[in-house]
């Protein structure tokens, strides 16, 4: 087993009462999971993920990349089934990023090293063959995997590089050219992720393999770190703290000092024994091994602090997309909708920025779109078709937005607000994409209610009308309220002895006849 040294830590942060992050560190396997879903469901999801991965990868032999990826997909199934079995945990999920030491996938794939004096056997058909020598100690490598926006960084030659690619709504907008990296830092939907464990029955896992390089330092973290601490600050911390535990503790401290608006988990892993480091000028070319794609797509993020060339980018994006601290994430039940919205936006962008090739395959020669070889009539017809397609897509998006808005604003529910007061909300609890529920009316605070009423509000009852919701709030019992009828409240002292009921007298009023 490769010689590694690591440090790790997790913290709930300065705002949240509970920690929905989870981690696992052991010889050769390191995992960080960031749960989501609220009401302890996120904590459950991250725990299921870490435990499943840990159990699946506990072995005395060498692991393979396929085993690591399979353990993550199995964890996805466990979380998905648990959410179905327990309605209180519906919509729960978790991100995950992991690295593990595996058997070198390239070992034994090269041509055998033989010369003319080596004995040559023959196979049953009489063809010459040789058996390559198998080393006593199987060569090792690293596999990196991630789902969601928890990240893995590589610190080499005093430079920080993000290895993983965030599965988030704003990252897709950056990748498709809709917004810049600077705009992504302040985007109102920067908290929406497009992929996570437990949201769907199946999940696509991004994974890479890397050689073990002596002196490499890896940082695995939840977004609670990168939302508060910039990549430059992470670089300086790794540079000034050679001990991995001290580095992990320092990074958590910096995140809390910057606001600590989310749970924070950090794992720092140092490679003490491995191949010689490459030349400092040599860049890292990382190619994700998509489990279900035949052609891998390169995504090597550029080195922090240095300008990225086109060759370095390789179709990827800038690694320095650190964002300010996030507010409360409303990510449960939104992953699928966010992904569909991003795909629709990408389709619209593709339609509005067509290829430079016309219908006959001729390449345009200037910005006007006129080809030097194509006839004007042929150039105009594809543009008209594209304009119609754009109009259809825009109309469909507008109609979908109207329907989504009406659905998101439908109904009412009762819950405690951030100050602990009973509140009537209109809309879907947790919100839908950018449409959050609105406050319609208020009520007593949690401290004023008895235990039975608190339990009723904690169940988040829903109503079809505002009147019904406010009637429910009005019917809640206060903790110090005593219920007595009007008859019980009336005492003898309240009766005026000088006043008698007219019905108790025998006198009848005089009548006058005219």
């Amino acid at each position: 087993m490769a010689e590694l040294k690591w440090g790790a830590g997790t913290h709930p942060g300065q705002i949240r009462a509970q920690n929905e992050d989870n981690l696992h560190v052991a010889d050769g396997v390191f995992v960080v999971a960031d749960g989501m879903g609220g009401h302890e469901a996120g904590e459950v999801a991250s725990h299921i993920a870490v435990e499943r991965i840990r159990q699946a990868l506990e072995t005395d032999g060498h692991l393979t990349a396929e085993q690591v990826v399979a353990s993550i997909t199995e964890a996805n199934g466990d979380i998905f089934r648990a959410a179905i079995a327990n309605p209180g945990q519906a919509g729960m999920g978790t991100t995950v990023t992991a690295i593990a030491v595996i058997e070198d996938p390239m070992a034994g794939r090269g041509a055998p090293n033989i010369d003319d004096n080596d004995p040559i056997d023959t196979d049953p058909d009489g063809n010459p063959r040789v058996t390559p020598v198998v080393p006593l100690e199987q060569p090792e490598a690293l596999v990196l995997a991630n789902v969601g926006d928890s990240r893995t960084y590589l610190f080499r030659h005093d430079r920080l590089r993000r290895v993983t690619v965030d599965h988030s709504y704003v990252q897709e907008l950056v990748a498709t050219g809709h917004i810049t990296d600077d705009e992504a830092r302040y985007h109102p939907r920067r908290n929406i992720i497009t992929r996570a464990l437990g949201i769907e029955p199946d999940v696509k896992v991004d994974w890479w393999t890397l050689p073990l390089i002596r002196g490499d330092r890896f940082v695995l973290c939840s977004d609670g770190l990168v939302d508060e601490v910039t990549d430059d600050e992470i670089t300086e911390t790794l540079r000034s703290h050679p001990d991995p535990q001290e580095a992990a503790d320092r990074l958590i401290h910096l995140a809390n000092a910057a606001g600590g608006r989310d749970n924070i988990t950090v794992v720092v892993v140092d490679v003490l024994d491995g191949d010689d480091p490459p030349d400092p000028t040599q860049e890292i070319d990382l190619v994700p091994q998509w489990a279900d794609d035949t052609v891998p797509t390169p995504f090597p993020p550029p080195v922090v602090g240095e300008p990225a060339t086109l060759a370095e980018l390789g179709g990827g994006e800038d690694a320095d997309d650190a964002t300010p601290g996030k507010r409360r994430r409303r990510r449960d039940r939104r992953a699928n909708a966010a992904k569909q919205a991003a795909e629709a936006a990408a389709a619209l962008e593709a339609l509005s920025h067509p290829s430079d090739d016309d219908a006959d395959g001729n390449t345009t020669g200037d910005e006007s779109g006129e080809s030097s070889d194509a006839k004007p009539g042929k150039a105009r017809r594809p543009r008209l078709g594209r304009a119609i397609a754009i109009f259809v897509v825009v109309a469909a998006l507008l109609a979908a937005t109207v329907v989504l808005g009406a659905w998101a604003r439908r109904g009412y529910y009762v819950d405690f607000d951030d100050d602990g007061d009973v509140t009537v909300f209109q809309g879907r609890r947790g919100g839908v994409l950018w449409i959050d529920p609105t406050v319609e009316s208020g009520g007593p605070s949690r401290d004023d209610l008895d235990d039975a009423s608190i339990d009723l509000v904690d169940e988040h009852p829903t109503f079809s009308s505002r009147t019904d919701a406010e009637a429910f709030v009005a019917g809640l019992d206060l903790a110090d309220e005593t219920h007595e009828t009007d008859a019980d409240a009336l005492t003898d002292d309240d009766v005026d002895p000088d006043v008698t009921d007219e019905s108790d007298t025998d006198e009848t009023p005089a009548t006058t006849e005219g």
Side-chain angles (χ1 to χ4, degrees):
M1 177 65 68
E3 186 178 357
L4 307 173
K5 185 178 181 181
W6 62 86
T10 185
H11 194 281
Q14 302 301 304
I15 303 298
R16 302 194 174 188
Q18 65 185 33
N19 193 347
E20 295 185 341
D21 286 1
N22 214 314
L23 63 90
H24 171 68
V25 291
D27 287 332
V29 178
F30 307 90
V31 184
V32 168
D34 180 1
M36 60 185 184
H39 303 286
E40 300 183 358
E43 182 180 357
V44 172
S46 64
H47 175 76
I48 292 175
V50 168
E51 282 302 299
R52 165 57 70 180
I53 296 171
R54 179 188 65 79
Q55 294 173 8
L57 301 184
E58 281 184 344
T59 176
D60 295 333
H62 285 88
L63 295 173
T64 65
E66 290 73 18
Q67 287 176 297
V68 176
V69 175
S71 70
I72 296 176
T73 58
E74 290 169 4
N76 176 77
D78 290 347
I79 299 169
F80 184 79
R81 288 186 293 272
I84 294 176
N86 189 343
Q89 296 171 352
M92 71 175 176
T94 184
T95 68
V96 66
T97 186
I99 62 173
V101 178
I102 60 170
E103 181 178 294
D104 188 351
M106 300 304 296
R109 293 188 182 180
N113 184 16
I114 61 174
D115 58 32
D116 293 337
N117 297 321
D118 288 331
I120 299 179
D121 294 332
T122 58
D123 61 20
D125 296 329
N127 299 315
R129 68 180 182 184
V130 295
T131 302
V133 176
V134 178
L136 294 177
E137 185 174 349
Q138 189 68 27
E140 294 174 328
L142 286 174
V143 61
L144 293 79
N146 88 294
V147 177
D149 60 354
S150 291
R151 295 181 179 177
T152 293
Y153 287 89
L154 170 59
F155 185 65
R156 177 189 292 176
H157 293 313
D158 210 37
R159 293 176 294 176
L160 187 70
R161 186 161 195 161
R162 178 156 58 95
V163 181
T164 55
V165 178
D166 291 350
H167 301 137
S168 65
Y169 180 71
V170 295
Q171 188 63 60
E172 292 191 9
L173 294 181
V174 171
T176 55
H178 287 75
I179 61 175
T180 66
D181 289 315
D182 289 337
E183 291 171 338
R185 296 188 180 100
Y186 308 102
H187 197 280
R189 281 175 275 174
R190 63 185 180 274
N191 59 337
I192 299 176
I193 62 173
T194 56
R195 201 188 306 177
L197 298 187
I199 303 302
E200 296 180 343
D202 301 305
V203 69
K204 182 178 179 180
V205 181
D206 294 356
W207 59 280
W208 301 257
T209 57
L210 283 176
L212 278 161
I213 302 296
R214 184 176 63 256
D216 277 358
R217 169 172 277 192
F218 292 91
V219 178
L220 291 75
C221 61
S222 61
D223 61 350
L225 173 69
V226 298
D227 289 339
E228 306 287 8
V229 183
T230 67
D231 285 358
D232 287 338
E233 291 173 313
I234 295 175
T235 300
E236 178 58 32
T237 300
L238 298 177
R239 179 185 298 130
S240 58
H241 293 78
D243 181 75
Q245 186 60 57
E246 292 181 359
D249 293 341
R250 176 60 180 172
L251 290 173
I252 293 174
H253 170 77
L254 290 175
N256 277 319
R261 297 170 180 84
D262 200 354
N263 306 147
I264 310 154
T265 299
V266 179
V267 176
V268 179
V269 182
D270 289 347
V271 180
L272 303 183
D273 186 24
D275 296 340
D276 292 336
D279 187 276
T281 61
Q282 180 179 345
E283 293 299 338
I284 307 169
D285 294 323
L286 302 175
V287 180
Q289 307 294 319
W290 311 132
D292 54 352
D293 286 356
T294 57
V295 180
T297 304
F299 277 102
V303 176
V304 173
E306 294 186 356
T309 65
L310 183 61
E312 291 171 353
L313 287 173
E317 58 282 337
D318 197 320
D320 187 15
D321 66 344
T323 61
K326 294 179 181 174
R327 300 183 185 276
R328 290 187 174 182
R329 294 174 296 177
R330 300 183 181 273
R331 303 190 301 189
D332 51 320
R333 303 173 183 164
R334 302 187 196 177
N336 292 336
K339 183 176 182 180
Q340 293 169 0
E343 291 174 350
L348 179 60
E349 178 70 4
L351 289 171
S352 60
H353 292 79
S355 169
D356 288 337
D357 295 343
D358 65 19
D360 290 338
N362 298 315
T363 303
T364 57
D366 54 38
E367 293 182 358
S368 66
E370 294 293 336
S371 171
S372 58
D373 299 326
K375 295 180 179 180
K378 291 184 178 180
R380 293 190 188 98
R381 282 194 292 271
R383 291 175 188 164
L384 178 59
R386 285 192 289 265
I388 295 174
I390 292 172
F391 175 81
V392 171
V393 172
V394 171
L397 288 176
L398 289 175
T401 301
V402 172
V403 173
L404 177 64
W407 178 79
R409 293 282 298 159
R410 183 178 179 182
Y412 299 80
Y413 69 94
V414 176
D415 197 357
F416 291 109
D417 63 13
D418 293 340
D419 296 326
D421 295 331
V422 178
T423 304
V424 175
F425 295 90
Q426 181 180 9
R428 300 288 174 174
R429 185 169 177 271
V432 178
L433 291 179
W434 65 92
I435 306 174
D436 290 330
T438 58
V439 175
E440 297 301 313
S441 62
S445 69
R446 176 188 288 267
D447 294 337
D448 294 333
L449 298 178
D450 61 15
D451 293 339
S453 295
I454 292 175
D455 291 340
L456 289 175
V457 176
D458 282 338
E459 291 177 1
H460 318 117
T462 59
F463 306 89
S464 59
S465 69
R466 175 175 174 176
T467 301
D468 292 342
E470 292 178 341
F472 170 85
V473 174
L476 296 175
D477 294 331
L478 302 180
D480 58 350
E481 184 179 16
T482 58
H483 301 282
E484 35 180 33
T485 64
D486 292 340
D488 294 334
L490 188 63
T491 65
D492 292 339
D493 294 336
D494 296 322
V495 180
D496 189 343
D498 296 328
V499 178
T500 58
D501 192 336
E502 291 181 355
S503 62
D504 293 337
T505 66
D506 294 329
E507 297 180 4
T508 58
T511 60
T512 304
E513 296 183 2

